[in-house]
Amino acid sequence: MKRPGPLLTLLAGLVLGLFLLTLNATTGTKTASSSYEEKSPNPAPARSAASSAPTPAPSPSRVPAADADYAGRTDDDAAAIAVTVRDGKAIAYYCDGRTAESWLKGDVEDDGSLRLSGKHGAKLDGKLQDGKRVEGTVTVGGGRHAFSADRATKPSGLWRATATVRSAKIDGGWIVLKDGTQVGILTRDGKPSPAPVIDPETGAVTVDGQQLTARPATP
């Protein structure tokens, strides 16, 4: 039998190679030398918890109570009372015009509340009512009195005079009500007595023959 020649063998090899190349192309088989890589999409950046937190609203600034003077009487008409507010502080004077009196002082709270204190356990609890009046209670000498004091304009309000007259220490307090009525006590070395009338326009007052000047009382 005659063996195939070299030319026939070469042609058979070429046909086989072409067949394998065609098979690769149709099946999509990758060769080991391929360097192609699919890149995965970048992940979305994580949103930090801090950036999602709501920004707190700024706290409202404090609005101090307006400077003002108040004068009135206790509900039982036993005494007069006056309150003066300046720069967030307050001073008050309780006076029955004979022997009972008390000076009290303290701060004005953000909501307009007053918590004032004085000697011998005296205290005042009140509240400013829209800048028109002060309402509350005052405790002096063991007695507790409700009161209401309307906003006052000069010459109404609270007056005080301190001096030394004939070697005696003088301390006088006056409440001038809106109808012009004056309620006051003058102490000489700690002994109280009804106060002489002052000139509400100038504050001039005569004590034991000596002229003094009462001035609006402030905290």
Side-chain angles (χ1 to χ4, degrees):
M1 183 175 180
K2 194 173 183 178
R3 301 177 65 182
L7 182 59
L8 186 59
T9 303
L10 179 61
L11 288 173
L14 288 173
V15 170
L16 180 61
L18 289 172
F19 175 75
L20 292 175
L21 288 174
T22 304
L23 184 63
N24 254 358
T26 57
T27 60
T29 305
K30 293 181 184 177
T31 63
S33 62
S34 175
S35 62
Y36 174 78
E37 287 185 5
E38 289 188 10
K39 294 184 179 179
S40 60
N42 292 330
R47 187 177 181 184
S48 66
S51 63
S52 62
T55 303
S59 57
S61 58
R62 176 184 175 183
V63 179
D67 294 352
D69 303 302
Y70 304 87
R73 298 191 66 88
T74 58
D75 291 357
D76 57 11
D77 206 30
I81 190 162
V83 178
T84 296
V85 174
R86 295 288 186 275
D87 298 324
K89 297 185 178 299
I91 187 172
Y93 183 51
Y94 168 95
C95 179
D96 70 356
R98 298 181 301 276
T99 59
E101 66 172 358
S102 183
W103 291 93
L104 310 99
K105 61 182 180 179
D107 296 328
V108 182
E109 302 297 332
D110 291 351
D111 63 354
S113 296
L114 303 173
R115 300 289 185 271
L116 312 184
S117 60
K119 294 181 179 179
H120 310 298
K123 65 178 182 178
L124 181 149
D125 295 315
K127 190 169 184 179
L128 301 174
Q129 304 292 333
D130 299 324
K132 297 178 181 179
R133 63 186 179 279
V134 180
E135 294 180 351
T137 59
V138 58
T139 302
V140 176
R144 187 170 180 269
H145 310 270
F147 74 89
S148 178
D150 293 331
R151 188 159 183 167
T153 56
K154 284 187 177 181
S156 299
L158 179 56
W159 298 75
R160 191 172 193 177
T162 57
T164 300
V165 177
R166 298 180 181 179
S167 301
K169 184 178 179 181
I170 302 296
D171 188 356
W174 292 264
I175 298 171
V176 180
L177 301 173
K178 62 182 179 181
D179 63 359
T181 302
Q182 297 185 20
V183 182
I185 286 179
L186 187 77
T187 61
R188 295 175 178 83
D189 290 335
K191 296 179 180 180
S193 62
V197 175
I198 65 171
D199 181 343
E201 297 297 333
T202 64
V205 58
T206 301
V207 176
D208 298 338
Q210 182 171 326
Q211 184 168 317
L212 306 179
T213 301
R215 304 185 185 281
T218 58

